Amino acid sequence: MSLRVLIVEDRPDDALLVAEHLRRAGLAIAWERVDTEAAFAAKLESGLDLILADYSLPQFTAPRALDMLKERDLDIPFIVVSGTVGEDAAVEVMRGGARDYVFKGNLSRLRPVIEREVRAAAERKAARAAQDEYLRRLSSIFDTALDAVITMDANGVITDWNPMAEAIFGWPKSEAVGRLVADSIIPPRYREAHRLGLARFLETGQGPVLNQRVELEGIHRDGHEFPIELSIGAAPSAHGFVFSAFARDISQRRHAEEAVRRLAATVAASTDAIISADLNGHIISWNAGAERMYGFPAADTIGRKLSVIVPEERAAELKAALDRVHKGEHIEQLETVRRRKDGRLVEVSISFAPLTDEHGTVIATTGISRDMSTAKQAALELRASEERYRRIVETAFEGVWIIDSKNETTFVNRRMADMLGYTPEEMHGKPVLAFMDPDAQAAFVANRDRRQQEYQAEHEFRFRRKDGSELWVLLEASPDRDEAGNYVGSLAMVTDVTERRRAQKALEYQALHDALTGLPNRVQLADRLGHALESARAAHEQVAVLILDLDHFKEVNETFGHQAGDRLLEQVGPRLRSEIRPEDIVARLGGDEFAVLLAKTDATAATLTAARLLEVLERPFEVEGQHLDVAVSIGLAMSPDDGDDPNTLLRRADIALFVAKQPRGAFVRYAPEHERQGASRLALMAELREALQHDSELFLQFQPLVRLRDRSLAGVEALVRWRHPQRGLVPPMEFVPFAEKTRLIKPLTRWVLVSALQQSVAWQRAGHRIPVSVNISMRDLVDPEFPEMIATLVRAAQAPPSLLVLEITESLIMTEPERAIKNLSQLRELGVRLAVDDFGTGYSSLAYLHRLPINEIKIDKSFVAAMAVEASRANIVRASVELGHSLQLESVAEGVEDARTWELLGALGCDLAQGYFISRPMIADQVLPWLSKWENPSGAAEAAA
């Protein structure tokens, strides 16, 4: 490609001489000559690569040409090619912006000068483009943040205001920028404290809320206050300080917390004991009312027999009641006695109800018990005295309702009126039928003769409240007669059981359905699968079970929050249902795992269904205005080939799912060899446990990290290796990921830490201070005892804490950020250095990143390895380095494999490098010999090779 050259020269022969010289020197050029200011101006916008100018022309000069470039803000290499001029003129033109000065008598200098300046101009252009891209990305992050992001200067004046700030606080950006923060989002009562806090920070550098997350009140433009979660950071700038605030509206969270508190208080205050038991009489649920009534905490009763609270003489009574319930009967108000934990007996009234699946099959029993001791004593006192009767009636827990022979209300107590939403005065004189719907009225009329002649035992009845809602009660009624025995009315004792019925229905539903999605749960799926298998055996048909797991769902939770994850899960069921038959079942097994039951099918139909499910879940999900992509992996098992009972079929579908998740987004049917693979992994984990105990098979290799500015050794990363006596060298990817899924990761991490610290101390005693980096797992990161374990190991090794660097991947931190930050802060206080590994590949939030107590970010090798050939990767590395430096963190580039990458990283200002260009991992005995070669410049090439 030719260079586009403009030659400013009044002598055509001289211009031709320069052009011919450049061609002979091997440069491909396309050139034009101008000799006036107007002609020069006309050519400036034509995409020039280079300007060669004589110093002085009759109608034009090189200094004037340079001024014109500055006026137009053009970055075109400008070289003066002229005869002999004075030293002052040469200095003037160089100060004016000329890149070099070449005498016409020494044109041999011209080619290297041109090549140098054209290359420098290209680098400046690339740097400007990268800077523009970096600013665009930061602007995109700012504009799309889920938090309100506000920046202000040292005077408290808003300098930037993102769209979420507009939504939360009501001020458009055009009006917010330039206003005082105090006048825009801070309630008046806090403004003076804000002013004093800002002044204190500017004076001392300290602030009470900086770099902390606090909850306080914010104010909307319309004047209403609302709760926000706020974190503030400060960074020095050319004009003092820039403050960044991240704010989140937590009104909904506060409302939800209050609702939970109210519900918990209601349950805690309940005097009813609600207990559920399976068909074998084992307790499966035990509420707080049961704890209070019987004295047993739930943890002591779950899984035990009901006989723990049943006196021996009442065992037959309980068995008879359970037999009736198992046949589908409801038992209301069985009065009996039960035994408390302290041995005392308590009189109770129990209502039993069967818990059934969708087929009507009884699968458990629910009992609601009420302590009857107080109620019976109250009944005795009612009979003893009319006055006491009046007092007790007015304050009774039960409603009291008296009607005359015309069915009109003559008396209700306060409790009864409250149940229906009226005052006693509003109910007095009204017919009882006015409080019933048509069905209840018909039942009441039909029961007239019995009601007037005999006592009506406690039974359920439905009334209609003043607001139109249903009121379910337990009602027992007695006829009232005059001295002649004539019926004059009835007295009814009424107990509100609306909530109890609702709780019973809710328990029945919750026992068989997933709370989030409303889909059948694992219990119901197993029951339905059992029925399907029985039918299939009788009809010689097949049944298929597909277990589906959403790939990358964890990243959705980490990136967009658990609420977005829940909204996505709610959409999965309807999508799956759209691709199966009405008689098939979709269930949620837990987390991001679902199951599909296909009855009356075959292998071909099940395979086609699995393919459709893979396809339908590949379409993006829309959640809170975001389009989220998740794939799915599916494991399939079929009866009778892969199993003929629910447990076996579900287990083998799960095994097939594990195989399908290895590549992800796949569909796999169970095969016997899959189970053998699982057994092999279990055997490997058992052998790893043995290796940890014997300490003879595991060893460490170390890969150096060096400083780019002076090639000095900054530390080494410890990498665990396993030399198995039969399997040989086991690759880390074959045992570390499985150790992370088991409890072996903790002893494995401890072994690595102990060995690494011992080796670092040994090097220090030999005169070499070499810090060592160790990767830690999620289990370690959220373990509250992990910081104390690190402190113990460092003391035992007699090592300075700064010799240890702990590496945590970005995605691990964002899984549970608050717990991670707490543990990391404790580790930082110990003096241990902390690094974020694989930076750029996770989903961290800028709102959290500045809060992390870390020292380094390690830029992932996927960006570093390709930065020499892909500008986009180089830009990501540049942005990561600059972000790290802005947060006062060192940047480490992983995966440096060639000299070009090394040079580019140095030019970008990266601090440390690690990779095969420097050294492959090596055992401890090889580190010091390698270091000797590396520190010797003449041996650098050999060390790199």
Side-chain angles (χ1 to χ4, degrees), residues 777-793:
S777 72
M778 179 64 192
R779 289 177 181 263
D780 299 318
L781 185 60
V782 300
D783 183 356
E785 299 179 357
F786 183 67
E788 181 57 34
M789 185 191 82
I790 292 294
T792 301
L793 295 181

Side-chain angles (χ1 to χ4, degrees), residues 56-362:
S56 179
L57 289 74
Q59 303 179 47
F60 199 28
T61 65
R64 174 55 187 153
L66 286 167
D67 289 342
M68 293 174 69
L69 286 179
K70 291 179 182 176
E71 291 167 1
R72 291 164 172 77
D73 194 24
L74 295 175
D75 183 10
I76 304 174
F78 190 103
I79 300 172
V80 177
V81 181
S82 186
T84 304
V85 297
E87 182 178 340
D88 291 342
V91 171
E92 176 194 356
V93 78
M94 294 296 285
R95 286 177 177 172
R99 295 295 176 178
D100 211 329
Y101 195 110
V102 177
F103 291 105
K104 290 181 179 179
N106 189 18
L107 292 180
S108 61
R109 284 190 61 238
L110 191 54
R111 174 179 174 171
V113 169
I114 289 173
E115 290 178 336
R116 181 193 70 208
E117 292 308 321
V118 169
R119 182 170 59 251
E123 291 175 352
R124 291 194 299 276
K125 183 178 180 181
R128 287 194 298 273
Q131 179 68 14
D132 291 344
E133 173 61 17
Y134 173 66
L135 293 175
R136 185 196 67 77
R137 292 176 58 220
L138 283 183
S139 177
S140 175
I141 292 171
F142 181 81
D143 288 342
T144 59
L146 298 179
D147 292 342
V149 184
I150 304 165
T151 63
M152 73 175 189
D153 61 19
N155 296 317
V157 174
I158 296 170
T159 57
D160 211 344
W161 181 270
N162 77 338
M164 187 54 71
E166 293 184 346
I168 290 178
F169 294 104
W171 291 92
K173 181 177 180 178
S174 59
E175 296 183 31
V177 172
R179 288 177 57 86
L180 289 174
V181 165
D183 294 343
S184 305
I185 68 171
I186 299 176
R189 62 184 179 280
Y190 297 143
R191 290 173 184 171
E192 180 63 15
H194 162 75
R195 185 188 66 77
L196 294 175
L198 179 59
R200 178 187 173 194
F201 174 81
L202 294 175
E203 180 181 347
T204 67
Q206 297 178 347
V209 298
L210 282 179
N211 302 319
Q212 300 184 49
R213 190 168 70 175
V214 296
E215 293 186 4
L216 43 77
E217 299 299 313
I219 189 167
H220 192 271
R221 183 181 184 180
D222 64 13
H224 82 270
E225 295 185 10
F226 58 98
I228 60 173
E229 183 179 84
L230 180 69
S231 61
I232 302 176
S237 71
H239 305 290
F241 283 91
V242 173
F243 298 88
S244 300
F246 300 85
R248 177 173 298 172
D249 185 347
I250 57 173
S251 302
Q252 291 186 353
R253 191 181 79 194
R254 288 276 182 88
H255 293 157
E257 290 171 351
E258 179 60 26
V260 170
R261 281 194 294 270
R262 288 198 301 267
L263 179 59
T266 301
V267 172
S270 173
T271 58
D272 287 347
I274 305 174
I275 304 168
S276 297
D278 63 20
L279 298 182
N280 296 316
H282 292 101
I283 297 169
I284 58 177
S285 70
W286 181 273
N287 78 333
E291 291 185 339
R292 290 189 293 271
M293 186 176 293
Y294 298 120
F296 289 95
D300 290 353
T301 59
I302 300 297
R304 296 177 67 179
K305 286 273 195 177
L306 284 169
S307 57
V308 69
I309 59 170
V310 179
E312 185 175 346
E313 64 272 15
R314 298 284 182 162
E317 175 189 72
L318 174 64
K319 182 179 183 306
L322 292 179
D323 287 344
R324 290 172 58 192
V325 175
H326 293 169
K327 294 175 183 177
E329 292 187 41
H330 289 252
I331 301 176
E332 299 292 351
Q333 300 299 305
L334 172 65
E335 293 192 7
T336 183
V337 294
R338 291 289 181 260
R339 183 174 54 239
R340 290 174 44 84
K341 184 178 181 180
D342 59 13
R344 290 189 294 114
L345 297 180
V346 56
E347 293 184 73
V348 295
S349 174
I350 308 177
S351 294
F352 293 95
L355 185 63
T356 61
D357 60 19
E358 290 189 358
H359 295 287
T361 303
V362 177

Side-chain angles (χ1 to χ4, degrees), residues 358-375:
E358 290 189 358
H359 295 287
T361 303
V362 177
I363 59 174
T365 300
T366 296
I368 302 178
S369 305
R370 173 165 294 176
D371 186 342
M372 295 301 295
S373 304
T374 303

Side-chain angles (χ1 to χ4, degrees), residues 401 416 419-420 427 431-437 440 444 459-466 468-475 492-495 498:
W401 196 336
M416 186 68 251
M419 287 184 199
L420 289 165
M427 293 183 65
V432 69
L433 295 174
F435 305 99
M436 303 177 190
D437 61 26
F444 182 83
H459 59 282
E460 285 194 355
F461 197 82
R462 184 178 69 247
F463 289 103
R464 183 70 62 187
R465 289 192 177 102
K466 185 177 182 179
S469 61
E470 289 184 341
L471 170 68
W472 280 94
V473 300
L474 280 177
L475 184 150
M493 301 295 294
V494 183
T495 303
T498 307

Side-chain angles (χ1 to χ4, degrees), residues 914-941:
Q914 177 183 2
Y916 285 1
F917 174 72
I918 301 161
S919 173
R920 291 177 177 271
M922 52 191 152
I923 61 174
D925 291 344
Q926 296 172 324
V927 172
L928 295 183
W930 167 86
L931 181 59
S932 177
K933 292 181 181 180
W934 177 259
E935 290 177 337
N936 179 6
S938 63

Side-chain angles (χ1 to χ4, degrees), residues 389-597:
Y389 166 82
R390 286 285 182 184
R391 289 199 302 268
I392 292 171
V393 164
E394 290 299 333
T395 59
F397 176 82
E398 292 82 9
V400 178
W401 196 336
I402 301 176
I403 61 175
D404 62 17
S405 59
K406 299 177 183 178
N407 296 330
E408 293 178 350
T409 303
T410 59
F411 174 83
V412 290
N413 68 346
R414 175 67 61 180
R415 174 62 177 162
M416 186 68 251
D418 288 343
M419 287 184 199
L420 289 165
Y422 294 90
T423 64
E425 291 75 19
E426 288 176 316
M427 293 183 65
H428 192 273
K430 287 188 177 181
V432 69
L433 295 174
F435 305 99
M436 303 177 190
D437 61 26
D439 291 341
Q441 289 175 356
F444 182 83
V445 172
N447 193 45
R448 184 191 63 178
D449 292 339
R450 287 188 58 200
R451 182 176 63 256
Q452 293 182 359
Q453 294 176 15
E454 62 187 35
Y455 165 78
Q456 299 290 294
E458 201 170 54
H459 59 282
E460 285 194 355
F461 197 82
R462 184 178 69 247
F463 289 103
R464 183 70 62 187
R465 289 192 177 102
K466 185 177 182 179
D467 62 6
S469 61
E470 289 184 341
L471 170 68
W472 280 94
V473 300
L474 280 177
L475 184 150
E476 59 177 328
S478 300
D480 188 14
R481 301 184 185 280
D482 60 17
E483 293 181 357
N486 298 315
Y487 173 77
V488 294
S490 293
L491 165 67
M493 301 295 294
V494 183
T495 303
D496 184 352
V497 295
T498 307
E499 290 302 321
R500 188 163 76 185
R501 280 178 60 90
R502 186 176 295 123
Q504 185 170 315
K505 294 295 183 183
L507 283 174
E508 294 173 359
Y509 186 88
Q510 292 170 12
L512 299 174
H513 292 82
D514 173 57
L516 175 65
T517 64
L519 294 172
N521 61 11
R522 185 182 292 272
V523 173
Q524 186 178 166
L525 175 68
D527 182 66
R528 299 279 291 273
L529 178 56
H531 287 293
L533 290 172
E534 289 179 10
S535 300
R537 279 192 291 270
H540 302 289
E541 293 172 337
Q542 290 181 287
V543 173
V545 174
L546 295 86
I547 297 184
L548 306 85
D549 187 90
L550 302 183
D551 301 328
H552 309 299
F553 178 73
K554 178 182 177 184
E555 289 132 355
V556 172
N557 274 339
E558 294 170 352
T559 307
F560 301 101
H562 289 278
Q563 182 176 349
D566 288 348
R567 300 295 80 77
L568 189 151
L569 290 174
E570 290 169 347
Q571 297 180 44
V572 171
R575 284 213 190 170
L576 297 177
R577 286 234 56 92
S578 69
E579 298 299 323
I580 61 175
R581 302 167 299 182
E583 62 268 30
D584 297 328
I585 299 170
V586 176
R588 183 183 179 209
L589 303 183
D592 59 348
E593 201 167 89
F594 294 77
V596 174
L597 170 60

